[in-house]
């Protein structure tokens, strides 16, 4: 039996040893050269794989840290959120959600999805989120927030486009004002657990500089649960988007469901843990006021 060991090394870093063993004749010079070449190629790929894995970890940790720390809504609004990366071996995307506390007991809810994957998408997501917080603090209507955000992002040619959905919830009036930049529509689940989609005018994704956003108001009672989400929750390869959305509204949430229970039911009902893209879900319920004696 004859053996030949070749180090797997690249630019001073060792990744192990390639060991070839066989019975019979010893390895020829030509075969030894082929093994050394294979070891060099393997070392290059191992080096790239480790760099990619490190980038994935940085992007995922950044995304989780950012999404896990949304702003605080008013106490009159109960919220729950969930972020699920598509898988341990895939680069995370730019899915995110946010809450911004406004005056007069109102709260702005936000979900967004930066196009693409990887560390650049996660960094752009953070830039969108920071800019939106600043613009939203001016108390503009949702469609005007999108208009300003779109104009600011369009000035930076390196910034990736993104979809975004805003919902300004006013618990005192029992209403929510929505505006969409290329995003899928929100869903509302009634007290009996049945769901429906809300009709919201859809403008172009952020970053185009085209503007053209509109707001739409819908009633929202304390018995209803509002669900905002990114496309990874519902979209499936080869499936029509109307069928995808129908699967969402066909869910039956437990009644009565808290905001956290609603997130769990949506994630489980649509098997979001096995989705083909990153998933971000944000649910909200107006806190019911205790009845006065």
């Amino acid at each position: 039996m004859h053996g030949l060991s070749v180090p797997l090394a690249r630019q001073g870093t060792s990744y192990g040893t390639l060991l070839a063993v066989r019975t019979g004749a010893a390895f020829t010079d030509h075969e030894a050269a082929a093994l050394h070449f294979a070891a060099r190629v393997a070392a290059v790929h191992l080096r790239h794989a480790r760099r990619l894995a490190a980038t994935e970890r940085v992007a995922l940790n950044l995304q989780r840290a950012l999404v896990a720390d949304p702003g605080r809504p008013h106490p009159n609004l109960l919220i729950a959120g969930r972020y699920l990366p598509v898988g341990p071996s895939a680069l995370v995307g730019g899915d995110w959600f946010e809450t911004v506390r406004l005056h007069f007991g109102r709260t702005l809810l936000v979900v967004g999805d930066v196009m693409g994957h990887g560390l650049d998408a996660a960094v752009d997501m953070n830039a969108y989120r920071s800019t939106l917080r600043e613009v939203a603090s001016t108390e503009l209507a949702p469609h005007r927030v999108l208009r300003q955000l779109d104009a600011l992002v369009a000035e930076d040619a390196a910034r990736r486009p993104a979809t975004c959905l805003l919902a300004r919830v006013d618990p005192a009036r029992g209403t929510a004002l929505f505006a969409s930049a290329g995003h899928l529509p929100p869903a509302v689940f009634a007290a009996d657990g049945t769901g429906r989609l809300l009709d919201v005018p859809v403008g172009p994704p952020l970053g185009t500089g085209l503007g053209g956003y509109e707001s739409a108001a819908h009633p929202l009672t304390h018995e209803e649960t509002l669900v905002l989400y990114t496309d990874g929750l519902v979209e499936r390869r080869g499936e029509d988007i109307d069928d995808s959305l129908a699967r969402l509204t066909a869910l039956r949430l437990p009644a009565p469901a808290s905001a956290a229970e609603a997130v769990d039911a949506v994630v489980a009902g649509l098997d979001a843990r096995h989705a083909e893209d990153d998933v971000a879900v944000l649910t909200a319920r107006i806190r019911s006021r205790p009845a006065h004696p």
Side-chain angles (χ1 to χ4, degrees):
M1 180 176 293
H2 298 275
L4 180 64
S5 63
V6 182
L8 296 172
R10 180 68 178 175
Q11 295 183 349
T13 301
S14 176
Y15 301 101
T17 302
L18 174 63
L19 178 63
V21 179
R22 75 179 184 189
T23 59
F27 290 95
T28 65
D29 291 343
H30 178 74
E31 290 171 332
L35 286 173
H36 278 85
F37 176 77
R40 288 196 299 271
V41 173
V44 169
H45 287 292
L46 286 170
R47 181 168 177 261
H48 289 170
R50 289 191 178 184
R51 285 188 171 183
L52 179 60
T55 300
E56 290 176 357
R57 288 194 298 271
V58 171
L60 183 57
N61 291 337
L62 173 62
Q63 181 120 358
R64 281 177 170 165
L66 293 172
V67 175
D69 186 29
R72 293 183 179 180
H74 281 280
N76 55 20
L77 191 65
L78 304 172
I79 68 163
R82 187 74 55 80
Y83 168 68
L84 300 172
V86 65
S89 63
L91 286 172
V92 297
D95 294 36
W96 55 286
F97 54 78
E98 179 63 282
T99 67
V100 181
R101 185 183 293 206
L102 304 174
H103 290 114
F104 310 113
R106 301 172 301 175
T107 298
L108 183 69
L109 307 179
V110 186
V111 291
D113 186 359
V114 178
M115 296 181 184
H117 292 81
L119 184 57
D120 289 342
V123 170
D124 280 352
M125 176 269 290
N126 185 39
Y128 271 104
R129 188 179 182 188
S130 299
T131 305
L132 183 135
R133 282 177 172 174
E134 182 177 351
V135 175
S137 66
T138 60
E139 301 281 336
L140 294 172
H143 70 283
R144 295 186 64 188
V145 172
L146 290 180
R147 188 184 306 166
Q148 286 209 16
L149 187 58
D150 176 58
L152 290 171
V153 173
E155 294 175 355
D156 185 356
R159 190 73 63 212
R160 301 180 182 210
T163 67
C164 188
L165 177 65
L166 307 184
R168 190 176 72 187
V169 181
D170 188 338
R173 297 187 177 185
T175 61
L177 189 62
F178 299 89
S180 173
H183 208 85
L184 292 176
V188 166
F189 288 83
D192 62 0
T194 58
R196 72 185 191 279
L197 298 177
L198 299 183
D199 185 16
V200 177
V202 180
L206 298 172
T208 64
L210 299 175
Y213 305 107
E214 301 177 38
S215 292
H218 291 277
L220 185 67
T221 71
H222 71 274
E223 295 181 333
E224 295 177 315
T225 301
L226 177 64
V227 180
L228 312 182
Y229 54 93
T230 55
D231 55 9
L233 176 69
V234 295
E235 289 184 352
R236 299 295 181 265
R237 188 178 293 108
E239 182 180 65
D240 184 83
I241 187 59
D242 290 334
D243 295 334
S244 302
L245 293 171
R247 287 190 297 106
L248 171 61
T249 55
L251 293 177
R252 293 297 179 265
L253 299 190
S258 67
E261 291 170 338
V263 166
D264 292 338
V266 169
V267 168
L270 295 180
D271 195 21
R273 296 189 181 279
H274 298 95
E276 299 166 358
D277 195 1
D278 290 1
V279 173
V281 184
L282 182 65
T283 62
R285 289 196 66 180
I286 296 175
R287 188 187 297 272
S288 57
R289 297 178 178 178
H292 293 287

